[in-house]
Amino acid sequence: MLRSLLAALALCGATLGPLAATAADAQPPASGTSMGAIQSANIFDVKPDASQDPGYAEQTNAQRTQVQPGNNAPNWRLVNSGEPGYSSLPRSQAPEAGVLIQRFVQYPGSAYTTAGEAWRQVRNDWLIPYGGSLLLIVLVAIALFYFAKGPITVHGAETGRRIERFTYFERAAHWTNAVAFVVLAISGLVMAFGKFFLLPVMGSALFGWMTWALKTLHNFVGPLFAVSLLVVFFTFIRDNLPSRDDIVWLRKGGGLFNNQHVPSGRFNAGEKLVFWGGVMFLGFIVIGSGLVLDRVIPGLVYTRGTMQIAHMVHAVATILMMCMFLGHIYLGTIGMRGAYKAMKTGYVDETWAREHHELWYNDIQAGKIPAERTRPAGKKPDTRPANA
């Protein structure tokens, strides 16, 4: 441990710069030595067992400078002060190159300590254990609900008359966003939790290569997810505006627990909560913090503190977003029969539309919304009611 500390101090000597012995408890250095001697000290000339010398704990700062350059109270106070020392790198490229250890801060959930250690405490003591637990709780809750209730089905017989629920553009926007989200979610989960369940199985060499590949993929897919999320937002915002019917739907839990039919528009209140809470609110927080971590926002000074805060915000928002989207993915696949087919083909049967989105179906019947919005070239749009 001592040898590692000395090696780090010697290698960082040019960064730390000249250090002056200004502390009250420091004695004058011996002849031919100074606090700046650490810059030219050869680590191989330092006795590895210096801490074993008799009276090591009672050594003055001046005496310790002779056998362990830099390992004394004045040096460490300056190192921990956060004041930048000398660095040959320009501040425009590396604004913190001259700072070895950050200043003391207290992030939410951490002790009052150096910023790097505070971030580590938040990540290891809060984000990893509680974030992982929350994801597992949501997965278990979905599994229990599925085995208790089974998939949501239609009660009436299909009529064979189709209603276009999603246009080709809407489906393309959704699937682009969905694929990007899955890639980001899987790569993020491996980077955050992989060392606990993959590293012991795969070994460090393969796991290290895979993590590097996923991290690189994560960085490049992130901007694609940001653009696709914006497209999804503006594509579906009109039908996700709140209405009075949403209050009724929420009060009755959408009929998920009592099999009670609750009318809704094209999107019910649950889907609107995912849209506004997951896509808009959490989505934009994830995108903003992710772009900071990608270092693509012009004019922003990318210090370690900025990156630490961006990471903590990104992690919290991502975990919450994944929890919301897990419910959405469940209902869009095995949780509701016909939902996946609607996003795959764009069409649903008239009975499905009537039982799951009755208000939307009624508008189609009244001619307020066309039953088919996509048409072949040269064909007029079909504005007739679905049962015509």
Side-chain angles (χ1 to χ4, degrees), residues 138-139 142 256 270 274 320-336:
V138 172
L139 286 172
I142 291 175
L256 294 175
V274 172
L320 295 177
M321 186 182 189
M322 290 175 64
C323 290
M324 293 190 70
F325 280 17
L326 282 174
H328 174 73
I329 294 172
Y330 163 72
L331 290 174
T333 52
I334 63 174
M336 177 181 290

Side-chain angles (χ1 to χ4, degrees), residues 311-356:
H311 170 266
M312 291 184 289
V313 171
H314 189 76
V316 172
T318 299
I319 291 171
L320 295 177
M321 186 182 189
M322 290 175 64
C323 290
M324 293 190 70
F325 280 17
L326 282 174
H328 174 73
I329 294 172
Y330 163 72
L331 290 174
T333 52
I334 63 174
M336 177 181 290
R337 290 180 181 172
Y340 174 77
K341 182 180 179 181
M343 187 54 72
K344 178 182 178 182
T345 66
Y347 290 87
V348 295
D349 188 81
E350 182 183 58
T351 302
W352 190 96
R354 183 176 62 250
E355 292 195 14
H356 292 307

